[in-house]
């Protein structure tokens, strides 16, 4: 159940580090995305001490197997071991990885298992590692998976207010709480969306510039709605690198 506290100990749980930050003098606070428990916050005690190898193991995008224990929301890491993973390198791929991690960290509820999203995350990292600079389709598809997981997925090919199929020669609106609209409702965040682009996206086609632009507009509007004013630090990385992918 979303937001529930998980008691007892967990062993050999597949996970990825989403974010880490210093805690007290020698420890780390770590947010994990795990296969069977969703997002988990834990304390890695002593991980920042000179004698500990744990800090080097707890790297973003590095798949790990972790053990933890605890009866509160904040667990205690008791063991971590690395597994083989991909390298994102530098530039767009790395910034994109940080963007995905920040979305998961800020939008997922604690202890809410999302195995399909976990698989989509692994797939996205693999694609980013070999994207050759074209990261935009990877980002859009992951955002769509995340929207589905959070209960905000929608049918790109149907106007929810009229119930009618989207027509390629018409323009449409978007409301994060309802999806595609034939008319500009009170909560519509976007207007003038191309019907032909929406139909392409319904087929999973992100090849045309029109479809990419539409997907980015819609996913950006949804993400901002879900964040409720929380900033995304990873967007500054894209801005600094003069990238428009996110």
């Amino acid at each position: 159940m979303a937001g529930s506290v998980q008691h007892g100990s967990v062993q050999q749980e597949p996970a990825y580090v989403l974010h880490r930050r210093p805690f007290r003098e020698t420890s780390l606070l770590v947010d994990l995305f795990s296969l069977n428990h969703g997002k988990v916050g834990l304390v890695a005690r002593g991980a920042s001490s000179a004698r500990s190898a744990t800090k080097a193991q707890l790297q973003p995008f590095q798949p790990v197997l972790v053990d933890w224990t605890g009866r509160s929301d904040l667990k205690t890491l008791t063991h971590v071991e690395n597994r083989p993973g991909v390298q994102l390198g530098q530039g767009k791929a790395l910034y994109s990885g940080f963007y995905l991690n920040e979305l998961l960290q800020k939008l997922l509820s604690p202890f809410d298992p999302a195995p399909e999203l976990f698989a989509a995350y692994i797939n996205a990292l693999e694609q980013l590692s070999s994207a050759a600079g074209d990261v935009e389709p990877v980002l859009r598809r992951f955002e769509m998976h995340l929207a589905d997981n959070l209960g905000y997925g929608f049918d790109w090919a149907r106007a929810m207010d009229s119930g009618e199929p989207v027509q390629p020669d018409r323009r449409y609106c978007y409301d994060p709480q309802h999806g595609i609209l034939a008319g500009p409702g009170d909560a519509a965040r976007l207007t003038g969306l191309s019907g032909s682009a929406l139909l392409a996206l319904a087929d999973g086609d992100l090849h045309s510039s029109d479809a990419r632009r539409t997907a980015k507009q819609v996913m950006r509007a949804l993400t901002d709605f879900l964040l409720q004013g929380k900033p995304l630090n990873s967007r500054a990385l894209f801005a600094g690198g003069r990238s428009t992918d996110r």
Side-chain angles (χ1 to χ4, degrees):
M1 180 177 178
S4 63
V5 178
Q6 304 294 307
H7 299 295
S9 299
V10 170
Q11 296 182 336
Q12 295 289 286
E13 173 68 7
Y16 285 81
V17 176
L18 298 178
H19 186 258
R20 70 181 194 185
R21 54 205 178 278
F23 180 64
R24 294 180 178 170
E25 293 185 1
T26 61
S27 299
L28 294 172
L29 287 178
V30 183
D31 288 325
L32 295 177
F33 183 35
S34 69
L35 173 61
N36 298 298
H37 300 267
K39 187 179 73 172
V40 178
L42 53 80
V43 179
R45 301 194 184 281
S48 290
S49 67
R51 297 179 182 179
S52 175
T54 304
K55 184 176 182 178
Q57 293 176 292
L58 294 173
Q59 298 287 346
F61 322 122
Q62 170 65 52
V64 292
L65 292 174
V66 292
D67 300 355
W68 70 69
T69 188
R71 300 183 65 84
S72 67
D73 284 324
L74 189 62
K75 308 303 180 184
T76 298
L77 178 72
T78 56
H79 180 73
V80 58
E81 59 185 82
N82 292 138
R83 298 184 295 149
V86 299
Q87 299 295 323
L88 296 188
Q90 301 295 324
K92 285 185 179 181
L94 183 62
Y95 300 161
S96 298
F98 284 130
Y99 171 71
L100 300 187
N101 279 9
E102 194 170 13
L103 286 181
L104 294 172
Q105 181 199 6
K106 292 187 174 181
L107 294 181
L108 292 185
S109 298
F111 307 113
D112 189 8
E116 292 183 1
L117 185 61
F118 189 84
Y121 175 75
I122 295 174
N123 187 51
L125 293 184
E126 292 174 346
Q127 291 179 346
L128 288 174
S129 70
S130 59
D134 188 13
V135 302
E136 193 169 353
V138 182
L139 298 183
R140 300 294 87 80
R141 291 190 176 101
F142 182 80
E143 288 166 341
M144 293 174 191
H145 280 293
L146 180 58
D148 288 341
N149 178 262
L150 296 174
Y152 285 87
F154 58 91
D155 187 349
W156 293 85
R158 184 168 296 277
M160 299 309 296
D161 51 347
S162 67
E164 297 294 326
V166 166
Q167 300 299 316
D169 58 347
R170 287 193 56 186
R171 295 282 171 174
Y172 292 86
C173 304
Y174 172 70
D175 169 10
Q177 293 183 295
H178 297 96
I180 303 303
L181 302 175
D186 294 338
R189 299 237 172 164
L190 298 172
T191 60
L193 300 176
S194 162
S196 60
L198 294 174
L199 292 173
L201 293 169
D203 290 334
D205 184 355
L206 279 156
H207 288 97
S208 74
S209 59
D210 196 13
R212 289 188 179 211
R213 181 172 56 254
T214 300
K216 181 178 179 179
Q217 288 177 314
V218 171
M219 289 296 102
R220 180 68 177 259
L222 175 58
T223 300
D224 288 345
F225 170 79
L226 293 173
L227 286 168
Q228 297 181 341
K230 298 175 187 175
L232 280 179
N233 298 323
S234 52
R235 282 180 178 164
L237 297 176
F238 282 102
R242 297 183 180 180
S243 169
T244 60
D245 295 310
R246 189 56 242 139

